[in-house]
Tab-separated table of all heavy atoms in Angstrom:
chain	number	residue	atom	x	y	z
A	175	SER	N	-15.387	9.297	19.512
A	175	SER	CA	-15.414	7.831	19.574
A	175	SER	C	-15.735	7.183	18.231
A	175	SER	O	-15.625	5.962	18.102
A	175	SER	CB	-16.462	7.388	20.611
A	175	SER	OG	-17.746	7.881	20.250
A	176	HIS	N	-16.096	7.989	17.214
A	176	HIS	CA	-16.459	7.438	15.910
A	176	HIS	C	-15.237	7.371	15.001
A	176	HIS	O	-15.129	8.080	14.008
A	176	HIS	CB	-17.569	8.291	15.287
A	176	HIS	CG	-18.860	8.251	16.040
A	176	HIS	ND1	-19.979	8.957	15.642
A	176	HIS	CD2	-19.227	7.586	17.174
A	176	HIS	CE1	-20.972	8.730	16.494
A	176	HIS	NE2	-20.524	7.902	17.434
A	177	ASN	N	-14.349	6.476	15.329
A	177	ASN	CA	-13.118	6.379	14.552
A	177	ASN	C	-13.379	5.910	13.128
A	177	ASN	O	-12.687	6.334	12.194
A	177	ASN	CB	-12.136	5.422	15.241
A	177	ASN	CG	-11.666	5.958	16.583
A	177	ASN	OD1	-11.555	7.170	16.769
A	177	ASN	ND2	-11.391	5.066	17.531
A	178	GLU	N	-14.387	5.032	12.956
A	178	GLU	CA	-14.672	4.528	11.612
A	178	GLU	C	-15.220	5.634	10.712
A	178	GLU	O	-14.934	5.663	9.507
A	178	GLU	CB	-15.654	3.356	11.679
A	178	GLU	CG	-17.076	3.708	12.143
A	178	GLU	CD	-17.213	3.928	13.632
A	178	GLU	OE1	-16.220	3.744	14.345
A	178	GLU	OE2	-18.337	4.254	14.069
A	179	VAL	N	-15.982	6.566	11.280
A	179	VAL	CA	-16.497	7.687	10.488
A	179	VAL	C	-15.344	8.597	10.069
A	179	VAL	O	-15.273	9.064	8.922
A	179	VAL	CB	-17.546	8.476	11.298
A	179	VAL	CG1	-17.990	9.719	10.528
A	179	VAL	CG2	-18.744	7.603	11.616
A	180	GLU	N	-14.427	8.844	10.979
A	180	GLU	CA	-13.271	9.680	10.664
A	180	GLU	C	-12.436	9.069	9.561
A	180	GLU	O	-12.035	9.760	8.612
A	180	GLU	CB	-12.433	9.903	11.915
A	180	GLU	CG	-11.205	10.776	11.684
A	180	GLU	CD	-10.434	11.041	12.955
A	180	GLU	OE1	-10.996	10.807	14.044
A	180	GLU	OE2	-9.281	11.469	12.859
A	181	ALA	N	-12.193	7.782	9.643
A	181	ALA	CA	-11.393	7.106	8.622
A	181	ALA	C	-12.090	7.153	7.264
A	181	ALA	O	-11.463	7.420	6.232
A	181	ALA	CB	-11.120	5.668	9.038
A	182	ALA	N	-13.406	6.910	7.257
A	182	ALA	CA	-14.151	6.926	5.993
A	182	ALA	C	-14.192	8.339	5.409
A	182	ALA	O	-14.122	8.512	4.189
A	182	ALA	CB	-15.574	6.411	6.236
A	183	ALA	N	-14.291	9.357	6.263
A	183	ALA	CA	-14.339	10.730	5.775
A	183	ALA	C	-13.012	11.129	5.141
A	183	ALA	O	-12.987	11.750	4.064
A	183	ALA	CB	-14.682	11.677	6.925
A	184	LEU	N	-11.922	10.785	5.772
A	184	LEU	CA	-10.614	11.116	5.201
A	184	LEU	C	-10.403	10.380	3.877
A	184	LEU	O	-9.839	10.938	2.930
A	184	LEU	CB	-9.507	10.768	6.197
A	184	LEU	CG	-9.479	11.613	7.476
A	184	LEU	CD1	-8.443	11.076	8.456
A	184	LEU	CD2	-9.183	13.081	7.155
A	185	GLU	N	-10.874	9.163	3.802
A	185	GLU	CA	-10.740	8.398	2.562
A	185	GLU	C	-11.602	9.000	1.458
A	185	GLU	O	-11.242	8.965	0.278
A	185	GLU	CB	-11.139	6.942	2.794
A	185	GLU	CG	-10.913	6.036	1.592
A	185	GLU	CD	-11.240	4.591	1.890
A	185	GLU	OE1	-11.482	4.259	3.077
A	185	GLU	OE2	-11.259	3.779	0.949
A	186	ALA	N	-12.749	9.578	1.824
A	186	ALA	CA	-13.651	10.168	0.831
A	186	ALA	C	-13.241	11.569	0.403
A	186	ALA	O	-13.852	12.143	-0.507
A	186	ALA	CB	-15.078	10.193	1.379
A	187	GLY	N	-12.227	12.120	1.049
A	187	GLY	CA	-11.719	13.423	0.608
A	187	GLY	C	-11.865	14.563	1.593
A	187	GLY	O	-11.673	15.732	1.222
A	188	ALA	N	-12.202	14.260	2.849
A	188	ALA	CA	-12.269	15.339	3.847
A	188	ALA	C	-10.863	15.882	4.125
A	188	ALA	O	-9.888	15.133	4.129
A	188	ALA	CB	-12.886	14.829	5.139
A	189	ASN	N	-10.763	17.170	4.355
A	189	ASN	CA	-9.466	17.777	4.669
A	189	ASN	C	-9.047	17.509	6.095
A	189	ASN	O	-7.842	17.427	6.400
A	189	ASN	CB	-9.520	19.282	4.432
A	189	ASN	CG	-9.788	19.653	2.993
A	189	ASN	OD1	-10.861	19.394	2.470
A	189	ASN	ND2	-8.817	20.253	2.343
A	190	ASP	N	-10.037	17.391	6.991
A	190	ASP	CA	-9.737	17.216	8.403
A	190	ASP	C	-11.001	16.698	9.087
A	190	ASP	O	-12.094	16.743	8.514
A	190	ASP	CB	-9.302	18.549	9.030
A	190	ASP	CG	-8.655	18.381	10.402
A	190	ASP	OD1	-8.462	17.223	10.827
A	190	ASP	OD2	-8.355	19.413	11.046
A	191	CYS	N	-10.832	16.190	10.306
A	191	CYS	CA	-11.963	15.765	11.129
A	191	CYS	C	-11.759	16.293	12.540
A	191	CYS	O	-10.623	16.363	13.032
A	191	CYS	CB	-12.057	14.228	11.171
A	191	CYS	SG	-12.471	13.464	9.601
A	192	MET	N	-12.859	16.656	13.165
A	192	MET	CA	-12.777	17.097	14.555
A	192	MET	C	-14.115	16.878	15.232
A	192	MET	O	-15.159	16.767	14.576
A	192	MET	CB	-12.359	18.563	14.654
A	192	MET	CG	-13.395	19.562	14.184
A	192	MET	SD	-12.802	21.278	14.369
A	192	MET	CE	-14.254	22.184	13.822
A	193	SER	N	-14.066	16.792	16.549
A	193	SER	CA	-15.293	16.618	17.313
A	193	SER	C	-16.079	17.937	17.326
A	193	SER	O	-15.484	19.012	17.423
A	193	SER	CB	-14.956	16.203	18.750
A	193	SER	OG	-16.107	16.300	19.578
A	194	PRO	N	-17.396	17.871	17.216
A	194	PRO	CA	-18.194	19.106	17.310
A	194	PRO	C	-18.104	19.766	18.678
A	194	PRO	O	-18.482	20.930	18.829
A	194	PRO	CB	-19.618	18.633	16.999
A	194	PRO	CG	-19.612	17.173	17.291
A	194	PRO	CD	-18.239	16.700	16.983
A	195	LEU	N	-17.593	19.036	19.665
A	195	LEU	CA	-17.459	19.579	21.018
A	195	LEU	C	-16.046	20.064	21.305
A	195	LEU	O	-15.711	20.346	22.464
A	195	LEU	CB	-17.857	18.519	22.055
A	195	LEU	CG	-19.284	17.955	21.922
A	195	LEU	CD1	-19.521	16.884	22.978
A	195	LEU	CD2	-20.319	19.072	22.028
A	196	VAL	N	-15.197	20.159	20.280
A	196	VAL	CA	-13.823	20.576	20.487
A	196	VAL	C	-13.796	22.009	21.040
A	196	VAL	O	-14.688	22.824	20.767
A	196	VAL	CB	-13.034	20.483	19.157
A	196	VAL	CG1	-13.516	21.530	18.165
A	196	VAL	CG2	-11.545	20.641	19.406
A	197	GLU	N	-12.785	22.288	21.850
A	197	GLU	CA	-12.639	23.614	22.456
A	197	GLU	C	-12.554	24.689	21.370
A	197	GLU	O	-11.999	24.479	20.304
A	197	GLU	CB	-11.385	23.615	23.322
A	197	GLU	CG	-11.185	24.880	24.141
A	197	GLU	CD	-10.334	25.884	23.411
A	197	GLU	OE1	-9.484	25.481	22.595
A	197	GLU	OE2	-10.554	27.095	23.633
A	198	GLY	N	-13.179	25.839	21.663
A	198	GLY	CA	-13.334	26.884	20.655
A	198	GLY	C	-12.038	27.329	20.000
A	198	GLY	O	-11.984	27.504	18.790
A	199	GLY	N	-10.995	27.513	20.791
A	199	GLY	CA	-9.724	27.962	20.230
A	199	GLY	C	-9.145	26.954	19.264
A	199	GLY	O	-8.587	27.326	18.219
A	200	ARG	N	-9.266	25.668	19.569
A	200	ARG	CA	-8.745	24.642	18.673
A	200	ARG	C	-9.564	24.582	17.387
A	200	ARG	O	-9.015	24.388	16.306
A	200	ARG	CB	-8.757	23.283	19.379
A	200	ARG	CG	-7.787	23.172	20.543
A	200	ARG	CD	-7.896	21.816	21.212
A	200	ARG	NE	-7.609	20.731	20.288
A	200	ARG	CZ	-7.856	19.435	20.547
A	200	ARG	NH1	-8.411	19.104	21.716
A	200	ARG	NH2	-7.555	18.518	19.668
A	201	ALA	N	-10.872	24.728	17.496
A	201	ALA	CA	-11.710	24.718	16.293
A	201	ALA	C	-11.346	25.872	15.369
A	201	ALA	O	-11.229	25.697	14.148
A	201	ALA	CB	-13.178	24.780	16.688
A	202	ILE	N	-11.172	27.053	15.939
A	202	ILE	CA	-10.813	28.217	15.131
A	202	ILE	C	-9.458	28.008	14.465
A	202	ILE	O	-9.266	28.335	13.285
A	202	ILE	CB	-10.806	29.480	16.012
A	202	ILE	CG1	-12.216	29.794	16.486
A	202	ILE	CG2	-10.214	30.668	15.265
A	202	ILE	CD1	-12.288	30.855	17.560
A	203	ALA	N	-8.492	27.445	15.211
A	203	ALA	CA	-7.158	27.216	14.653
A	203	ALA	C	-7.211	26.233	13.485
A	203	ALA	O	-6.528	26.419	12.474
A	203	ALA	CB	-6.229	26.694	15.747
A	204	ARG	N	-8.040	25.202	13.596
A	204	ARG	CA	-8.109	24.210	12.515
A	204	ARG	C	-8.803	24.789	11.282
A	204	ARG	O	-8.424	24.491	10.146
A	204	ARG	CB	-8.814	22.957	13.024
A	204	ARG	CG	-8.007	22.262	14.118
A	204	ARG	CD	-8.736	21.115	14.745
A	204	ARG	NE	-8.491	19.860	14.032
A	204	ARG	CZ	-8.629	18.666	14.595
A	204	ARG	NH1	-9.001	18.563	15.867
A	204	ARG	NH2	-8.401	17.571	13.915
A	205	VAL	N	-9.802	25.622	11.494
A	205	VAL	CA	-10.449	26.277	10.360
A	205	VAL	C	-9.473	27.209	9.662
A	205	VAL	O	-9.340	27.219	8.426
A	205	VAL	CB	-11.708	27.038	10.831
A	205	VAL	CG1	-12.204	27.988	9.749
A	205	VAL	CG2	-12.806	26.058	11.224
A	206	ARG	N	-8.770	28.015	10.435
A	206	ARG	CA	-7.812	28.943	9.845
A	206	ARG	C	-6.697	28.204	9.117
A	206	ARG	O	-6.215	28.662	8.064
A	206	ARG	CB	-7.229	29.849	10.932
A	206	ARG	CG	-8.189	30.938	11.397
A	206	ARG	CD	-7.598	31.749	12.524
A	206	ARG	NE	-8.430	32.909	12.858
A	206	ARG	CZ	-8.323	33.607	13.966
A	206	ARG	NH1	-7.381	33.294	14.856
A	206	ARG	NH2	-9.119	34.639	14.198
A	207	SER	N	-6.280	27.073	9.653
A	207	SER	CA	-5.230	26.305	9.006
A	207	SER	C	-5.665	25.820	7.630
A	207	SER	O	-4.905	25.919	6.654
A	207	SER	CB	-4.845	25.103	9.893
A	207	SER	OG	-3.902	24.270	9.241
A	208	GLN	N	-6.900	25.341	7.518
A	208	GLN	CA	-7.387	24.871	6.223
A	208	GLN	C	-7.548	26.023	5.230
A	208	GLN	O	-7.240	25.871	4.036
A	208	GLN	CB	-8.707	24.132	6.404
A	208	GLN	CG	-8.580	22.799	7.127
A	208	GLN	CD	-7.645	21.824	6.418
A	208	GLN	OE1	-7.585	21.791	5.184
A	208	GLN	NE2	-6.913	21.044	7.192
Side-chain angles (χ1 to χ4, degrees):
S175 59
H176 294 180
N177 294 329
E178 67 283 357
V179 175
E180 180 177 344
L184 293 173
E185 185 177 351
N189 297 67
D190 194 5
C191 293
M192 70 179 183
S193 168
L195 302 178
V196 69
E197 186 268 331
R200 293 178 59 192
I202 293 169
R204 295 174 89 157
V205 167
R206 285 177 173 164
S207 175
Q208 291 301 325

